[in-house]
Amino acid sequence: MNFQEGIKMIENKEEFIKFLIRAKQSTYAGDGQYSKNSRPGSTDLQYREGNFQYIDTYLGNSDFIGQEVVWVDGKAIWGMNYFGKMLTTDIPDGFVDCLKLALKNPPKDAPYRGPKLVQTKEFEYHCNWKGDLDLYEGNEQILMNGKEIYNLKFNGGFLE
């Protein structure tokens, strides 16, 4: 696939969304392999499919900032920035499992983070957004026994 074919895939947003979901499911949410750090202290995960490349880079642990970008033939075409913060001093057991469960299941009509709601025994994941793949913003939070313990803000869109 060349760049022009990549642009056609973007114009066919259904195919782009399928790629983006596979990339997300194959990296952090799917316990993907970490790649070489792109910045001092960063954590990086990559997914490739043909001429498409997805890289998720973040810094920090319980409080963190990150960026997901999709490239075709080495040209950045779509991206998302995010900042997340734990609102407790410790990360509770099962928290990461709940977050990854949500991130493995992004909605096809809004594949930014997770679905609007995921519930586990102790946790509730909530995600709200506005906009579309071209330009969007949103917020996710996780509640433990009804109390908010985590919050993340995200935004992004297509790049020209």
Side-chain angles (χ1 to χ4, degrees), residues 53-156:
Q53 181 179 17
Y54 165 94
I55 300 176
D56 181 7
T57 301
Y58 63 92
L59 296 125
N61 188 21
S62 61
D63 299 344
F64 57 94
I65 191 164
Q67 180 180 65
E68 298 174 22
V69 178
V70 173
W71 285 264
V72 62
D73 285 340
K75 180 175 170 58
I77 59 166
W78 182 89
M80 177 177 71
N81 295 307
Y82 56 86
F83 177 79
K85 186 168 190 65
M86 290 299 301
L87 305 175
T88 62
T89 54
D90 296 315
I91 298 174
D93 289 341
F95 167 84
V96 173
D97 294 335
C98 175
L99 178 60
K100 287 186 176 189
L101 176 63
L103 298 179
K104 283 180 192 173
N105 294 290
K108 291 180 179 135
D109 63 334
Y112 318 121
R113 297 290 290 172
K116 289 192 179 288
L117 176 66
V118 172
Q119 292 180 296
T120 64
K121 185 177 178 183
E122 291 183 89
F123 302 99
E124 283 184 24
Y125 169 95
H126 297 268
C127 189
N128 296 293
W129 57 84
K130 63 181 179 178
D132 60 21
L133 281 171
D134 295 324
L135 179 63
Y136 61 89
E137 63 182 339
N139 184 71
E140 73 181 13
Q141 64 182 170
I142 294 181
L143 308 173
M144 180 177 178
N145 301 320
K147 181 181 177 193
E148 183 179 17
I149 63 166
Y150 162 85
N151 193 292
L152 179 137
K153 299 200 180 319
F154 61 91
N155 61 25

Side-chain angles (χ1 to χ4, degrees), residues 1 6 9 19 47-53 70-72 77:
M1 179 183 311
M9 181 177 171
F19 165 79
Y47 178 79
R48 286 183 180 270
E49 199 175 284
N51 288 13
F52 279 78
Q53 181 179 17
V70 173
W71 285 264
V72 62
I77 59 166

Side-chain angles (χ1 to χ4, degrees), residues 5-57:
E5 291 168 326
I7 294 300
K8 287 180 184 171
M9 181 177 171
I10 296 165
E11 290 169 357
N12 178 353
K13 287 187 181 172
E14 185 176 314
E15 290 303 313
F16 177 78
I17 289 168
K18 288 178 185 176
F19 165 79
L20 187 58
I21 290 172
R22 285 190 302 270
K24 289 173 177 281
Q25 292 171 338
S26 299
T27 52
Y28 178 78
D31 298 320
Q33 293 214 355
Y34 294 98
S35 58
K36 183 180 176 190
N37 297 15
S38 61
R39 304 171 202 186
S42 71
T43 301
D44 294 50
L45 297 111
Q46 295 189 36
Y47 178 79
R48 286 183 180 270
E49 199 175 284
N51 288 13
F52 279 78
Q53 181 179 17
Y54 165 94
I55 300 176
D56 181 7
T57 301

